[in-house]
Amino acid sequence: MSIEQADVQQALEILGDGARLDILGEHADLLRYAESAITAQHSERRLRVRVRVDRNGRSVAGSLETLDPDAVRSLADRLSAAIADLPAGPTPPATDHADRTDRADHSVPTPVIPAAASVLESDPAVRHRWFATVRDGLDSSAKLGGAIRYDVLDRVVADATGLFRAETLTKASIQAIAKQDGRSASVRLMHRDADQLPIEEIPDRLRAALRPLPTTEARHGTCRVLLKPQAANALIATYGYAVLGANAYATGRSVVSGRLGEQVASELVTLVDDGCDPDGLPSGFDAEGNVRRRTPLIDHGVLVGLVSDRRRAGLTGGVPTGHAVPDGWRFGGDPVPSHLLLDAGTSTDDELLAETGSGLVVNRLDYLRVLHPKETLVTGTTRDATYWAEDGELVGWHPQLRFTFRMDEVMNAIIGIGSTRERCDQTFMESVVVPSLLIEAGPLILP
Amino acid sequence: MTGYRELAEVVLGLLPADVQFGDIRVVRRTHEQVLVELDGPGEVNYDDSLGLGLRVLIGGQWGFAATHRLDPQGLDAVVGQAVGQARAAGGGRVVLGEPVTTRDTWSSPMVVDPFTVPLSTKLDLLSATVKEASTAGPLVQQIEASVDFYRDEKVFANTEGAMIEQTLTESGGGLMVNAGDGNDVQRRSFPQGVPRQIRGQRGDFATAGFEHVLSLGLPENAARVASEAVALLSAPQCPDEVTTLVAGSNQLAMVLHECAGHPMEADRALGTEASLAGGTYATPERRGNFRWGTPIVSAYADATIPGGLGSFKYDDEGTPAQRTQLVKDGIFTGYMSSREYAGALGGQSTGQARADGWQRLPLVRMTNICLEPGESSLDEMIAGTKRGILVDTNRGFSIDDQRMNFRFQTEIGWEIRDGKVGRMLKNCTYQSDTPTFWGSLDALGGPDEWRVHGVPSCNKGEPLQVAHVGHGTVPGRFQKVQVGR
């Protein structure tokens, strides 16, 4: 599926002044499996044409599944009528800061992110082979569930001032959860290029994670907690979403509001947002067409930046960082990080485990939800392999437990960072690249 | 729906001979959203989506494909993709049970078609709501008042002879107020909360017309709701203690959703969500013998409730809407199912296969999950409580992957002391596990307090699907519950 520039141009001409198009050609192929059997296969093709028209301080939006001129004309008429019905809004003066930043950002070239042929030319047989590789590599008593997904996303953002950015993004991912004798373990891998995914390693990883250790008594109180990368992913993504957006900062809803330049996390923490870093799942521009700029956020624990869109560009040097979210996004309208990368540390996984001593090892944090954004209070559970360690050795499976904690306290209590990072994602964040994190006893209390 | 029926017939006619079963849904979804905020002229959004989804069964294995391209090339491609997917998988195990051969046309009832109401009327309603809310003073930082209207025009046809045309119209609206004083931020929503920062799609929804929005009383409640948001800033924290919890009807709606709705979906019980949201305590061997709650609690799914947001006449497999008992006298008794998962459990579909638009495969989804009312009332529950808290309006929640241990947070709470409502409390949470919590229930509101809450944001599946569901609930009282921050 490709989006023709001429069709886009024609649609913009129909829509008139103040129009912006955010177009997604979505092509997804999915293989799902449960209880070690294939349960469903999907193939979806969709064109989502999001339209926004801003005139005289009034803003209206709409969406279609086509660029057909008659359909666009019909929507244009409807949007024009709606604009006429809306009361007048504040008209930005010609010298308005935001207006200047728009033009400045448009002059930046679109980053080039190559699509992967392995995904563009995907074949169902490859997905079936992946599934069979994982299933057949497990013990016969283990049950496997999960999904294999290939995505191709054609994106265009264009507007009536001449902005036109286009890119094709690819992504292959596999989720595998194995269950055996009441234990469960999971692996999730993703990459822009399907050929780069080490599928053959998954069975070994699952078998190792399912090791038949005894189940320990549930511990209570405080202890060191080692968050493996999938667990650190949930923490870092949720923290970034709640804390590091410019609008949350400007309106006082972020725990770090007013603290640029101050220490907000452990000195070990260096965090950036970089949409073009190949360690993540790259994408070059946001829903407003702003290029995604490498944005340092936390440098050795000091808050050094925020992510912004055009409305909040004043907080990021007058230039949006490329973090505008799509119209109607179900996670809100404010700019939030999209591609977080946490710097690796120097400790191997074995060294981190040794430093944990007697404590908890968490493979995954599940259903992490914000209870109080200003306080960064969240609650969630562990899932798919939670262990107890004694003297730096895994000695047993720990019962799944619920954590309720302040993320800012945990970010300050990081005392060790792993040297190996994993590429992860979240439903509200395109990619998160994180290593393991060792948390000092205290903020993560075992209830 | 001119032409959709013919389109469905054309696609079914393209299926090759080795297709055991096929069904097609042509769906046009129209969505209008109007939103007014504290410092803006308002926003309007019109979404229009049209496409088709084709599902085929070959050798007991599904293949599904969906496309927005309705030209001959697009139709050929979608058939080729669905068939190719099913053939590539090899042998499967799907059994569908009794054929579905219904031919019918139906539209959901409404009084006022919301798509014919002038935009200016909607803007006036919302502007009045925002104006009332803004009277709560300078600590009010953010106000959003919104209305949303949906129309799904659906044609369903299958190779067994079914041809069903349905039109569903849904309306809803609500208000959200954030107050802040530099140290704290607190939120109040009306008529019900939203667990995320969703713009629009707030409030209470029904399968009904514009009359439902008018019945909500948004302007009439706005000043009170905003004042509560401001008052919460200086309210004391909810204490950490084990106490009596009295939950309002709309709060229990979300608890029921998580503790009974999702766990009692048959596909989940058979492992298909294991890699996503997780499994369930409600496993097949527990049906009929697992004590879910006290004997005064019974729950059911019912897609026939007039106006319920989970109501329809036929599900997305053509199975008629029906009522399904889930919990009877405190015992887990049944599942929601589709044709496939009913077959796997040895029964017939209970009519809960639903898809989010044309582009998604139908999944087992909640319809209207309801509590049977009890014999008490909210006032009686409070009057009979020596010490406890009253909570209302869900702010957030988390539940484990077996749907057992949970933590809910509400936007607002109040002390109960000696049978009377006392001080307002903020940041109220409560934590328990499903059978313990419902096993501590000692009172439920009566039929007069029973109402259906419409929630347009139930998530499930991969790719993610959003379903519109309803919950018929009453207030309830629970003993010895851990509450606190």
Side-chain angles (χ1 to χ4, degrees):
Chain A
M1 187 190 304
S2 61
I3 300 165
E4 299 295 333
Q5 186 165 358
D7 293 341
V8 175
Q9 216 55 49
Q10 181 176 248
L12 284 169
E13 286 167 12
I14 293 169
L15 290 159
D17 290 345
R20 186 181 76 228
L21 291 172
D22 174 11
I23 306 172
L24 300 176
E26 300 174 335
H27 174 155
D29 285 304
L30 182 75
L31 171 68
R32 289 191 66 184
Y33 42 95
E35 302 289 304
S36 297
I38 294 171
T39 55
Q41 299 157 101
H42 308 221
S43 178
E44 300 181 13
R45 308 288 186 272
R46 185 175 190 189
L47 183 70
R48 302 174 71 186
V49 181
R50 297 192 188 106
V51 178
R52 177 163 288 280
V53 178
D54 293 305
R55 285 184 202 141
N56 304 322
R58 301 169 171 101
S59 184
V60 295
S63 69
L64 295 163
E65 300 278 354
T66 176
L67 282 166
D68 173 74
D70 288 341
V72 174
R73 200 166 288 116
S74 175
L75 178 63
D77 291 345
R78 200 161 182 211
L79 295 179
S80 293
I83 282 180
D85 267 356
L86 283 169
T91 305
T95 56
D96 183 82
H97 189 65
D99 195 42
R100 280 185 282 117
T101 59
D102 281 3
R103 285 197 293 271
D105 189 70
H106 289 185
S107 66
V108 178
T110 307
V112 177
I113 296 169
S118 59
V119 178
L120 292 172
E121 299 157 9
S122 74
D123 184 314
V126 176
R127 294 186 287 280
H128 287 88
R129 197 158 56 242
W130 283 13
F131 164 68
T133 298
V134 179
R135 180 196 58 194
D136 298 344
L138 297 176
D139 296 343
S140 58
S141 61
K143 295 290 186 187
L144 178 68
I148 297 163
R149 178 168 174 152
Y150 279 43
D151 286 284
V152 178
L153 193 64
D154 290 312
R155 299 184 64 216
V156 168
V157 174
D159 72 18
T161 71
L163 170 73
F164 185 91
R165 298 196 193 279
E167 65 183 1
T168 297
L169 306 178
T170 53
K171 175 182 175 182
S173 62
I174 178 167
Q175 169 89 16
I177 294 188
K179 293 186 198 171
Q180 189 174 21
D181 301 329
R183 308 183 297 272
S184 69
S186 69
V187 171
R188 180 165 172 77
L189 303 176
M190 64 202 65
H191 199 284
R192 181 182 60 79
D193 181 353
D195 290 342
Q196 301 301 314
L197 287 179
I199 302 301
E200 64 286 352
E201 294 177 6
I202 294 176
D204 287 345
R205 288 181 59 176
L206 289 172
R207 279 203 308 270
L210 286 169
R211 66 192 76 180
L213 298 169
T215 299
T216 64
E217 292 290 314
R219 307 298 171 118
H220 304 284
T222 64
C223 65
R224 287 188 175 181
V225 178
L226 178 57
L227 300 177
K228 303 291 278 185
Q230 287 290 343
N233 161 34
L235 170 67
I236 296 299
T238 307
Y239 178 83
Y241 174 83
V243 171
L244 298 173
N247 202 43
Y249 184 92
T251 56
R253 293 202 291 268
S254 168
V255 72
V256 301
S257 289
R259 298 185 62 193
L260 268 170
E262 295 181 19
Q263 193 86 26
V264 297
S266 159
E267 290 181 359
L268 299 178
V269 173
T270 293
L271 182 68
V272 303
D273 189 298
D274 189 348
C276 295
D277 192 315
D279 284 351
L281 294 165
S283 72
F285 52 90
D286 68 11
E288 291 179 332
N290 310 307
V291 294
R292 294 199 187 279
R293 295 165 190 269
R294 179 177 172 84
T295 309
L297 298 167
I298 296 175
D299 183 10
H300 294 89
V302 175
L303 181 68
V304 294
L306 303 159
V307 298
S308 73
D309 56 9
R310 292 185 196 179
R311 186 164 62 104
R312 290 296 181 188
L315 273 174
T316 50
V319 178
T321 60
H323 294 86
V325 303
D327 274 341
W329 197 45
R330 66 194 184 92
F331 299 104
D334 292 342
V336 289
S338 59
H339 297 78
L340 285 176
L341 299 108
L342 184 65
D343 274 10
T346 56
S347 303
T348 66
D349 280 2
D350 286 344
E351 289 167 343
L352 281 179
L353 184 59
E355 204 176 339
T356 303
S358 296
L360 199 69
V361 179
V362 178
N363 191 56
R364 197 172 162 199
L365 280 175
D366 192 42
Y367 220 131
L368 196 62
R369 293 290 182 267
V370 177
L371 296 174
H372 196 295
K374 175 76 175 177
E375 296 179 357
T376 68
L377 186 72
V378 296
T379 188
T381 65
T382 65
R383 181 175 169 187
D384 297 329
T386 306
Y387 305 105
W388 183 257
E390 289 284 357
D391 299 325
E393 298 284 338
L394 296 182
V395 297
W397 285 77
H398 190 281
Q400 187 163 300
L401 58 86
R402 171 169 298 284
F403 280 130
T404 299
F405 59 93
R406 284 186 62 139
M407 292 187 290
D408 59 345
E409 292 178 353
V410 172
M411 294 293 284
N412 271 297
I414 294 171
I415 56 172
I417 296 189
S419 55
T420 305
R421 302 194 299 181
E422 286 190 13
R423 183 183 295 104
C424 313
D425 65 356
Q426 290 281 338
T427 52
F428 56 90
M429 199 164 288
E430 290 180 46
S431 61
V432 187
V433 180
V434 282
S436 297
L437 300 175
L438 178 60
I439 313 299
E440 179 60 292
L444 287 167
I445 299 169
L446 280 55
Chain B
M1 283 185 263
T2 307
Y4 299 175
R5 189 184 179 110
E6 292 74 16
L7 191 60
E9 287 170 336
V10 166
V11 174
L12 290 181
L14 294 172
L15 297 181
D18 62 340
V19 169
Q20 296 168 277
F21 170 84
D23 65 16
I24 179 169
R25 291 174 302 106
V26 184
V27 182
R28 178 172 190 177
R29 171 171 290 178
T30 311
H31 171 212
E32 177 184 342
Q33 179 180 92
V34 185
L35 181 144
V36 173
E37 294 180 272
L38 180 58
D39 297 316
E43 276 198 45
V44 181
N45 192 73
Y46 299 119
D47 296 320
D48 191 1
S49 174
L50 171 64
L52 65 85
L54 171 67
R55 189 171 67 154
V56 299
L57 195 58
I58 301 175
Q61 188 66 258
W62 287 120
F64 174 81
T67 185
H68 65 286
R69 286 192 54 190
L70 305 182
D71 55 89
Q73 293 80 9
L75 302 187
D76 280 337
V78 82
V79 170
Q81 286 153 4
V83 168
Q85 294 271 23
R87 284 180 181 155
R93 55 183 178 176
V94 176
V95 176
L96 290 180
E98 293 293 317
V100 172
T101 58
T102 306
R103 303 180 80 83
D104 196 4
T105 299
W106 182 79
S107 294
S108 63
M110 62 183 162
V111 178
V112 180
D113 183 347
F115 293 96
T116 65
V117 174
L119 176 60
S120 57
T121 302
K122 297 162 183 166
L123 286 166
D124 288 347
L125 174 77
L126 297 175
S127 297
T129 302
V130 170
K131 185 178 176 187
E132 287 296 318
S134 66
T135 61
L139 294 180
V140 170
Q141 293 183 329
Q142 184 184 18
I143 303 173
E144 279 184 21
S146 60
V147 290
D148 285 79
F149 308 101
Y150 294 90
R151 174 157 294 149
D152 273 9
E153 299 166 88
K154 306 199 271 191
V155 167
F156 169 84
N158 68 16
T159 52
E160 296 167 336
M163 176 62 77
I164 298 169
E165 295 182 48
Q166 280 193 102
T167 301
L168 296 168
T169 302
E170 301 169 344
S171 301
L175 166 71
M176 183 274 294
V177 179
N178 270 317
D181 59 7
N183 296 313
D184 195 10
V185 176
Q186 291 289 329
R187 183 178 85 191
R188 282 293 282 139
S189 306
F190 178 82
Q192 56 199 26
V194 176
R196 291 185 185 274
Q197 297 299 315
I198 298 170
R199 280 168 70 80
Q201 300 176 55
R202 290 182 181 278
D204 186 64
F205 286 69
T207 303
F210 193 70
E211 69 280 1
H212 176 71
V213 167
L214 295 177
S215 76
L216 297 174
L218 295 178
E220 294 82 357
N221 285 279
R224 172 185 61 79
V225 169
S227 297
E228 288 175 351
V230 172
L232 281 166
L233 294 170
S234 53
Q237 297 281 351
C238 179
D240 283 316
E241 61 182 6
V242 175
T243 192
T244 300
L245 179 86
V246 179
S249 166
N250 86 24
Q251 180 59 26
L252 272 196
M254 292 315 298
V255 187
L256 190 68
H257 180 103
E258 301 298 338
C259 293
H262 282 305
M264 295 175 193
E265 296 160 343
D267 57 343
R268 190 181 184 108
L270 294 172
T272 60
E273 283 284 296
S275 62
L276 302 167
T280 175
Y281 64 82
T283 48
E285 73 276 10
R286 283 179 157 173
R287 183 163 49 170
N289 58 51
F290 180 74
R291 176 147 296 280
W292 186 82
T294 53
I296 66 168
V297 62
S298 293
Y300 57 92
D302 190 349
T304 69
I305 297 170
L309 192 63
S311 294
F312 44 77
K313 190 169 184 187
Y314 302 98
D315 75 358
D316 286 326
E317 292 183 318
T319 303
Q322 53 199 274
R323 174 170 166 153
T324 308
Q325 197 75 34
L326 302 175
V327 176
K328 184 65 179 169
D329 301 331
I331 302 294
F332 157 55
T333 56
Y335 287 113
M336 292 168 274
S337 68
S338 61
R339 295 181 67 182
E340 175 184 358
Y341 289 98
L345 289 167
Q348 294 297 315
S349 171
T350 58
Q352 279 115 353
R354 303 174 71 192
D356 180 9
W358 52 268
Q359 74 276 14
R360 298 286 192 256
L361 191 65
L363 301 174
V364 179
R365 299 306 298 261
M366 281 179 252
T367 55
N368 302 300
I369 307 297
C370 306
L371 284 176
E372 291 180 15
E375 297 175 344
S376 186
S377 71
L378 181 60
D379 288 345
E380 289 171 359
M381 289 177 220
I382 293 167
T385 300
K386 177 79 174 166
R387 180 185 175 93
I389 68 168
L390 167 66
V391 294
D392 196 33
T393 315
N394 193 60
R395 184 158 110 183
F397 57 87
S398 168
I399 190 164
D400 73 24
D401 65 324
Q402 298 301 308
R403 300 278 139 172
M404 287 291 269
N405 177 271
F406 59 74
R407 191 176 191 108
F408 279 81
Q409 185 179 46
T410 66
E411 289 188 355
I412 196 166
W414 294 268
E415 285 181 340
I416 302 174
R417 292 288 183 271
D418 299 321
K420 291 189 170 52
V421 174
R423 296 184 303 169
M424 182 183 289
L425 301 171
K426 69 178 172 184
N427 301 329
C428 294
T429 71
Y430 53 98
Q431 180 173 334
S432 188
D433 64 71
T434 295
T436 303
F437 184 73
W438 291 96
S440 73
L441 177 76
D442 73 349
L444 279 172
D448 290 349
E449 291 181 328
W450 191 88
R451 61 158 300 185
V452 182
H453 307 275
V455 179
S457 54
C458 172
N459 297 319
K460 182 180 177 183
E462 183 179 13
L464 188 71
Q465 301 198 36
V466 180
H468 295 187
V469 303
H471 296 296
T473 52
V474 290
R477 187 174 63 189
F478 303 82
Q479 298 295 338
K480 296 181 181 174
V481 179
Q482 174 66 55
V483 306
R485 291 226 55 197

